[in-house]
Each structure stands twice: as structure tokens, then as C-alpha cells.
């Protein structure tokens, strides 16, 4: 029986970040990850880019891995929001907030590279991969796990079990934890294009009749495309050749960036809301997509997961320094109390935006356009919205302030 303080199921972007955050705490950690090391098809380290909030940069700085991804991160200094074909628009500007950038567009692969580098020198962590859970059993003092590691059975014991294994969490399903779930009837089509007139540091979000269309600035003058399409139209869009795809995208986005060209491979993801009804239970915590899978509008999902990491790491470090049980009620209850409101607020915000801006009812359309104009004309309201998107409002953990966890030897 291999004994650990913490077992993290899922070594992707969120679970891997938590393992990196805890590497110098003195806690004994195991990460159970299904993907083979360095696999090009790793489900987290794929072709997507992620709009990291300023707060997420601070967390990665506190963890000590931002330097590994910084060269691939393109700063977002302005965000332009509009309603296609209507008069409503709003904008956010880093200068108005007194910061260098509102966030950073970073390839998932670059984030994965930073996590791999962080885990490479983590003395107290063991990465088990390719591995999957065969069995789970809980006692009042610990969890017992049977794990298949490269085809061989291994028994683990943990004081705290953390589910970081994505929106279809196997841990959540095995334990019968219920969720609130809603399908949106849309897919997000992901690609990359190179415009003739890139606007350095400016991200665009256009609300259209089929859902939001985001154009996110990348290094080298490229833009990441996140095109929300109805389920019935997704296959047709994916079936377009490069010329017809860029023409369709151009027609939907407009010519603000000039002519669009050089489209990359297209990938589609179904969009849904999944919110776990139980964030914790004794000696168990759900983080990242295992706790909440959100619509990508406003780019809140991964940033929300990183805030889960920051708060849970803070609590676990405190428990280690004070000689408390890392799986005890103080850690588990503290995590639930610190995170539930933020998770529910983000879920409500993204769900409302996703449904509000595809509703064609004329009075509602006029109201939302007036609302955007009002937001643009009211600096206090704009500042509050910017804080939400930057992840810098409210209580800030040590990592969220860019500070490393400090533990006694």
C-alpha cells in the first residue's frame, strides 16, 4: 500500500497546476493521469488557446511556472464587445484599470509545458501515468484506491482525494455525485487565422444570432477563433475547405481586422453547463471542470479552475504548517466555503450571457444593446466588470497575489 497525503485524479491543466503549487509544501502527493507522458493527443494540451486572466498570471507566478509559458503568451490590452448588426458595443482597456494587461492569450500546450517543467523537479510528488482508477473505498481516516498504472495494479492510500478529471469526471460518477446540467445546443469551433491588419493586444467578442464569436490575439499576428455554432450547422462548417471557411468567418465577423487567411485545422467541442451540486464530501474535493464546466463566453472556465487551485493549495499549506490533517474538515469545509460563491456567480454570468444574446426577441435585443452602451459610458460599472474578468476582485489567496506558498521545513 503506497501512502500519500493527497491523491489528485487528473494531471491536466488544473490538476497539474495544483500538483505544482503543492510541490514545496512537504505534502506527499500522487497524480493519477490517464494520458501517456508527452502524448501529442493529451486532451488538455491540445490546439486550443486559453484566455488567461491577469489573476491567473499571478497564480502561475506564485506557483513559479509562468516563466515557462510567458514567451508564447500574447497580452490582451483591450477587449471590444459588440452585437453583430446592431448598435450595442462596449470596451475594456487595461489603461483604465491601471494594469499592463487584462489577460493573456496562451496556447494550452504552452501551459502544459510549464506544468511538466514544474512537476519535473517536484520532490514530493509522484506522477502515475498512464493510469486509471479501478476501485475506490473510503474510511473515516482515508481513501483507498486501486489504480492500474501501465497495466499493473497498484494500491494507494490518501488522506484527501481531489477530483480534477474533467467535465465527465470518473470520480464524480463513481461516487454518484449529482450535477446540474444543461446543453446549449451549440458547439465551439476552434481554429486560428492570420488577418491582414491585426490589432495588437485587442480581443474581440461579437454576439451573433448563433452565439458569441471570439477573436483572440496571438503571437505572430495570428488570431484564435472561437466560433459558436448551432449543433445542426457544426458539421457543415467543419466540412468547408479553407477558402470557404474563411469567407464564412469573414462574413460573420466583418472586416475590422482586414482580410482573414491561413486558417488552421478546425476542431469542435459541444457546449454545456455542468455544475456539481456537491463540491465536497468528507476527504474529497472537486476542482476545475469536475466541479464546473461553463460556456466559453467571457473566458471564465479555466480561470475559475485556477482560483480553485489557489484556494485549495492555500488551505493545504496551512494544514501542513500547523500539523493538521490535510483531509480534515477544516480543509474540506474551508475550500467549499471559499469557492462556492465564486463558482456559482461565474456559472450564472456565463449562462445568462450565452442565452441572452441568442434570443431574437426585439425588446430584449434593444435592451441588451442599451445595456452595453450604458456599460461603456459608466466607468464604475466597467471597472467592476473588468475586475470580474481579470479575476482580481474580492478576497485574494497568496497565489492569487503572485506570492509563493511558504511552508516550514
Amino acid at each position: 500500500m503506497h501512502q500519500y497525503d493527497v491523491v489528485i485524479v487528473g494531471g491536466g491543466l488544473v490538476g497539474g497546476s495544483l500538483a505544482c503549487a503543492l510541490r514545496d509544501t512537504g505534502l506527499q502527493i500522487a497524480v493519477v493521469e490517464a494520458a501517456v507522458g508527452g502524448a501529442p493527443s493529451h486532451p488538455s494540451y491540445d490546439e486550443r488557446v486559453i484566455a488567461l486572466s491577469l489573476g491567473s498570471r499571478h497564480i502561475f507566478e506564485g506557483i513559479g511556472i509562468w516563466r515557462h509559458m510567458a514567451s508564447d503568451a500574447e497580452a490582451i490590452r483591450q477587449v471590444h464587445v459588440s452585437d453583430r448588426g446592431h448598435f450595442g458595443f462596449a470596451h475594456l482597456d487595461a489603461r483604465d484599470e491601471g494594469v499592463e494587461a487584462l489577460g493573456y492569450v496562451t496556447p494550452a500546450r504552452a501551459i502544459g509545458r510549464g506544468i511538466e517543467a514544474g512537476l519535473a523537479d517536484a520532490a514530493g510528488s509522484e506522477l502515475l501515468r498512464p493510469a486509471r482508477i479501478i476501485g475506490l473505498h473510503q474510511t473515516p481516516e482515508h481513501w483507498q484506491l486501486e489504480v492500474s498504472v501501465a497495466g499493473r495494479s497498484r494500491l494507494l492510500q490518501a488522506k484527501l482525494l481531489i477530483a480534477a478529471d474533467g467535465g465527465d469526471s470518473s470520480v464524480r460518477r463513481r461516487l454518484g455525485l449529482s450535477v446540474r446540467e444543461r446543453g446549449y445546443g451549440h458547439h465551439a469551433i476552434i481554429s486560428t487565422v492570420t488577418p491582414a491588419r491585426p490589432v495588437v493586444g485587442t480581443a474581440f467578442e461579437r454576439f451573433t444570432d448563433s452565439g458569441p464569436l471570439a477573436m483572440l490575439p496571438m503571437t505572430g499576428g495570428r488570431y484564435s477563433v472561437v466560433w459558436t455554432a448551432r449543433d445542426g450547422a457544426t458539421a457543415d462548417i467543419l466540412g468547408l475547405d479553407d477558402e470557404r471557411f474563411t469567407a464564412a468567418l469573414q462574413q460573420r465577423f466583418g472586416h475590422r481586422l482586414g482580410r482573414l487567411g491561413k486558417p488552421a485545422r478546425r476542431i469542435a467541442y459541444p457546449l454545456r453547463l455542468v455544475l456539481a451540486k456537491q463540491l465536497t464530501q468528507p476527504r474529497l474535493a472537486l476542482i476545475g471542470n469536475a466541479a464546473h464546466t461553463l460556456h466559453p463566453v467571457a473566458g471564465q472556465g479555466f480561470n475559475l479552475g485556477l482560483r480553485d487551485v489557489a484556494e485549495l493549495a492555500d488551505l493545504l499549506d496551512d494544514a501542513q504548517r500547523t500539523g493538521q490533517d490535510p483531509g480534515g474538515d477544516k480543509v474540506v469545509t474551508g475550500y467549499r466555503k471559499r469557492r462556492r460563491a465564486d463558482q456559482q456567480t461565474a456559472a450564472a454570468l456565463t449562462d445568462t450571457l450565452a442565452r441572452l444574446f441568442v434570443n431574437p426577441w426585439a425588446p430584449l435585443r434593444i435592451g441588451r444593446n442599451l445595456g452595453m452602451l450604458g456599460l461603456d459610458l459608466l466607468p464604475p460599472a466597467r471597472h467592476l466588470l473588468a475586475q470580474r474578468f481579470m479575476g482580481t476582485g474580492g478576497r485574494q489567496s497568496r497565489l492569487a497575489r503572485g506570492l509563493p506558498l511558504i511552508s516550514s521545513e
Side-chain angles (χ1 to χ4, degrees):
M1 181 77 73
H2 302 266
Q3 297 184 349
Y4 301 93
D5 295 305
V6 178
V7 169
I8 303 169
V9 180
L13 299 185
V14 172
S17 294
L18 179 60
C20 288
L22 297 174
R23 61 185 169 173
D24 297 323
T25 61
L27 291 163
Q28 296 301 304
I29 302 161
V31 180
V32 178
E33 169 54 40
V36 177
S41 59
H42 192 295
S44 290
Y45 306 167
D46 56 18
E47 290 81 357
R48 292 174 301 166
V49 299
I50 294 176
L52 293 177
S53 67
L54 177 61
S56 290
R57 172 184 169 163
H58 292 164
I59 292 170
F60 279 137
E61 286 176 331
I63 293 173
I65 61 175
W66 172 252
R67 66 184 185 276
H68 296 294
M69 61 188 84
S71 62
D72 290 306
E74 181 73 9
I76 300 174
R77 296 189 169 87
Q78 292 184 321
V79 177
H80 187 276
V81 184
S82 60
D83 193 359
R84 179 175 178 262
H86 305 289
F87 61 86
F89 74 92
H91 78 284
L92 301 176
D93 196 311
R95 292 171 297 185
D96 295 339
E97 306 306 319
V99 296
E100 174 190 322
L102 300 168
Y104 299 84
V105 180
T106 311
R109 288 187 181 277
I111 301 173
R113 184 176 65 239
I115 291 169
E116 295 283 350
L119 291 176
D121 59 3
S125 298
E126 185 174 7
L127 180 56
L128 307 176
R129 64 183 181 189
R132 61 185 179 86
I133 295 176
I134 299 174
L136 274 176
H137 175 69
Q138 185 178 18
T139 75
E141 292 78 27
H142 53 250
W143 286 90
Q144 293 178 346
L145 299 85
E146 183 179 2
V147 178
S148 174
V149 185
R152 301 184 64 180
S153 178
R154 184 168 175 176
L155 297 178
L156 315 181
Q157 183 173 292
K159 296 176 183 176
L160 177 66
L161 177 64
I162 298 172
D165 51 345
D168 294 316
S169 168
S170 64
V171 172
R172 197 183 63 216
R173 283 188 281 107
R174 280 179 177 272
L175 297 177
L177 300 179
S178 58
V179 297
R180 170 192 165 202
E181 185 168 5
R182 172 189 291 123
Y184 289 106
H186 293 79
H187 278 69
I189 298 173
I190 312 297
S191 188
T192 302
V193 296
T194 301
R197 299 194 305 270
V199 182
V200 177
T202 299
F204 298 89
E205 180 118 36
R206 298 206 73 184
F207 291 101
T208 76
D209 55 359
S210 67
L213 169 63
M215 299 283 282
L216 307 175
M218 299 175 64
T219 56
R222 298 167 298 156
Y223 266 75
S224 172
V225 178
V226 185
W227 179 349
T228 303
R230 291 188 173 88
D231 289 346
T234 299
D236 290 339
I237 295 173
L238 291 176
L240 297 174
D241 60 24
D242 286 357
E243 183 177 354
R244 289 188 296 162
F245 174 77
T246 52
L249 178 63
Q250 189 91 65
Q251 189 273 335
R252 186 149 290 263
F253 176 72
H255 291 79
R256 187 177 291 271
L257 295 173
R259 185 172 181 178
L260 306 176
K262 299 181 181 178
R265 182 167 71 102
R266 274 77 77 189
I267 304 173
Y269 298 90
L271 299 181
R272 57 180 179 152
L273 168 70
V274 179
L275 193 62
K277 294 181 180 179
Q278 292 175 260
L279 186 60
T280 63
Q281 67 175 39
R283 299 193 176 277
L284 171 74
L286 276 59
I287 66 173
N289 281 356
H292 44 74
T293 300
L294 308 183
H295 193 288
V297 63
Q300 292 291 292
F302 178 65
N303 297 297
L304 188 65
L306 270 190
R307 296 200 291 275
D308 295 344
V309 166
E311 292 289 2
L312 186 52
D314 206 31
L315 288 160
L316 283 167
D317 183 61
D318 283 344
Q320 175 71 355
R321 286 188 295 109
T322 56
Q324 298 179 55
D325 183 349
D329 186 65
K330 186 171 183 180
V331 171
V332 172
T333 301
Y335 171 70
R336 184 177 67 249
K337 288 181 176 179
R338 290 188 186 186
R339 295 303 304 139
R340 201 43 154 172
D342 186 22
Q343 293 175 359
Q344 290 178 338
T345 299
L349 173 65
T350 56
D351 186 55
T352 299
L353 289 175
R355 292 187 291 118
L356 176 66
F357 279 88
V358 294
N359 192 316
W361 190 45
L364 182 59
R365 185 180 66 238
I366 293 170
R368 71 194 182 210
N369 279 267
L370 290 172
M372 280 196 288
L373 288 177
L375 176 68
D376 204 60
L377 295 171
L378 293 172
R382 204 166 60 240
H383 176 65
L384 288 174
L385 184 63
Q387 280 195 324
R388 160 53 64 177
F389 291 158
M390 290 190 297
T392 56
R395 181 191 179 281
Q396 297 286 293
S397 65
R398 281 173 287 176
L399 289 177
R401 286 176 278 143
L403 303 174
L405 298 177
I406 302 173
S407 295
S408 58
E409 298 295 331

